[in-house]
Amino acid sequence: MSQAMSKTWRTKTALSRRIITAVLIVLCVIWSLPTIGILVTSFRTKDAVSSSGWWQAFKTPESFTLDNYGQVLFGQRYTVAGKDTGVIVTRGATMLSAFLSSITVTLPAVIIPIFIAAAAAYGFAWLSFPGRKILFAMIIALLVVPLQISLIPILRDYQKIGLNGTYLGIWLAHTGFGLPLATYILFNYISTIPRSILESAFIDGSSHFDCFFKLIIPLSVPALASFAIFQFIWVWNDLLVALVFLSGAAQEMQVVTIRLMNMAGTLGTDWHLLTAGAFVSMVLPLVVFLSLQRYFVRGLLAGSVKG
């Protein structure tokens, strides 16, 4: 009787797994269809995109081209009355220049808050000073404050001191907006490091400065990588902050999100270029995520279980 029940249970379990697997496959296919459509569209000509859907692209293989990516990265074709003249006109704000500008904006906007938040998290976790808990609570409370309400006051101050339209201005803005989350993530991780490690270092004559750079930073790599992924993807895909604080900058300083916004054209007809630009902008975030993903879950779960 028990063997029959066990066999029935195994059969039901196997059936449940097959059903779950099938449902997950269907959901993945549905989720991936828009991306596949954008990918196919990015390799089609303008006339083909405007005349038929992407699912019909394989009926006309001659409509596939690499010109979209060439135009996006290095220049744009000059058109007259809707007719392509075949002349490439290089403009100041190509996708390649926007790509380099986004790297210039994103890297400091990730590195600066990481080191400031790591130092703050170390202080909150291991140093005793008056008002430590209240100050930490105030910093964490900033997580629920929408950044949109601070854009206009900051922009007015930037205009007074001449930071609007500069890389320094947007670095400081992204640093300020990212510090609360960075401090919270790093505090959760640093506070779980065994106290005996730091006490042994202090007995050997190490200072807080030595402990921070020689012990805390190397041991906190998973948490640092987790925040780096969050901050990098957020800054790279940000449109609002870049649009506000780089509004007075030259075209060469446009980041990828602003360039993508302008790429569809004034009449919104250049979708073949917009889709190609979207895939160009995806390359670096994917590389960053895939290279740091092994630390991602470890950093997020830090501090969730103690003992």
Side-chain angles (χ1 to χ4, degrees):
M1 186 67 179
S2 60
Q3 293 180 353
M5 293 178 62
S6 177
K7 184 177 180 180
T8 303
W9 180 81
R10 287 196 298 268
T11 303
K12 291 182 178 179
T13 302
L15 180 61
S16 300
R17 289 178 178 175
R18 293 191 185 98
I19 294 174
I20 293 174
T21 302
V23 171
L24 290 176
I25 291 175
V26 172
L27 291 176
C28 289
V29 170
I30 295 174
W31 185 269
S32 302
L33 277 178
T35 304
I36 296 173
I38 295 173
L39 178 62
V40 174
T41 303
S42 69
F43 289 100
R44 303 184 72 198
T45 62
K46 181 178 181 179
D47 294 335
V49 170
S50 60
S51 61
S52 62
W54 65 268
W55 54 90
Q56 298 175 326
F58 296 100
K59 295 181 180 179
T60 56
E62 65 275 5
S63 65
F64 286 94
T65 179
L66 293 175
D67 288 344
N68 297 339
Y69 286 91
Q71 295 176 47
V72 164
L73 290 174
F74 306 110
Q76 202 163 21
R77 288 187 180 272
Y78 178 72
T79 59
V80 177
K83 295 182 179 180
D84 192 347
T85 64
V87 178
I88 299 295
V89 178
T90 303
R91 299 183 179 178
T94 63
M95 197 63 187
L96 183 59
S97 65
F99 196 89
L100 297 176
S101 181
S102 284
I103 294 176
T104 305
V105 170
T106 304
L107 290 182
V110 173
I111 296 173
I112 295 173
I114 280 181
F115 281 102
I116 296 176
Y122 175 80
F124 285 124
W126 298 108
L127 301 180
S128 297
F129 53 89
R132 181 183 64 172
K133 294 183 179 179
I134 297 176
L135 184 58
F136 182 73
M138 291 174 60
I139 293 176
I140 301 306
L142 294 176
L143 287 171
V144 301
V145 178
L147 66 88
Q148 290 83 355
I149 66 174
S150 62
L151 293 181
I152 294 178
I154 295 176
L155 180 60
R156 289 177 177 175
D157 292 336
Y158 275 9
Q159 290 175 342
K160 292 178 182 178
I161 60 179
L163 282 181
N164 189 39
T166 64
Y167 285 130
L168 178 59
I170 197 169
W171 292 342
L172 295 177
H174 280 304
T175 297
F177 296 144
L179 275 176
L181 178 62
T183 304
Y184 179 71
I185 293 176
L186 295 177
F187 173 82
N188 285 342
Y189 193 91
I190 292 175
S191 61
T192 61
I193 296 176
R195 184 176 293 272
S196 59
I197 296 178
L198 273 74
E199 291 176 348
S200 300
F202 291 143
I203 292 174
D204 292 337
S206 298
S207 62
H208 286 291
F209 185 86
D210 295 330
C211 288
F212 177 73
F213 282 100
K214 295 181 180 180
L215 289 177
I216 299 301
I217 294 297
L219 292 174
S220 302
V221 169
L224 296 174
S226 296
F227 173 73
I229 291 175
F230 275 124
Q231 183 74 351
F232 188 94
I233 294 177
W234 179 66
V235 175
W236 186 270
N237 293 328
D238 170 74
L239 172 63
L240 180 60
V241 176
L243 198 61
V244 171
F245 296 116
L246 290 180
S247 58
Q251 282 192 340
E252 289 77 6
M253 295 179 63
Q254 286 184 353
V255 295
V256 291
T257 49
I258 296 179
R259 183 60 188 146
L260 286 174
M261 182 184 68
N262 298 329
M263 194 172 289
T266 56
L267 300 179
T269 57
D270 295 333
W271 289 104
H272 59 300
L273 298 180
L274 183 61
T275 53
F279 272 92
V280 170
S281 68
M282 289 168 53
V283 173
L284 192 57
L286 282 175
V287 171
V288 171
F289 181 81
L290 294 177
S291 61
L292 299 178
Q293 65 173 339
R294 58 176 177 163
Y295 301 112
F296 188 64
V297 176
R298 289 171 56 191
L300 291 182
L301 295 180
S304 60
V305 179
K306 293 185 177 181

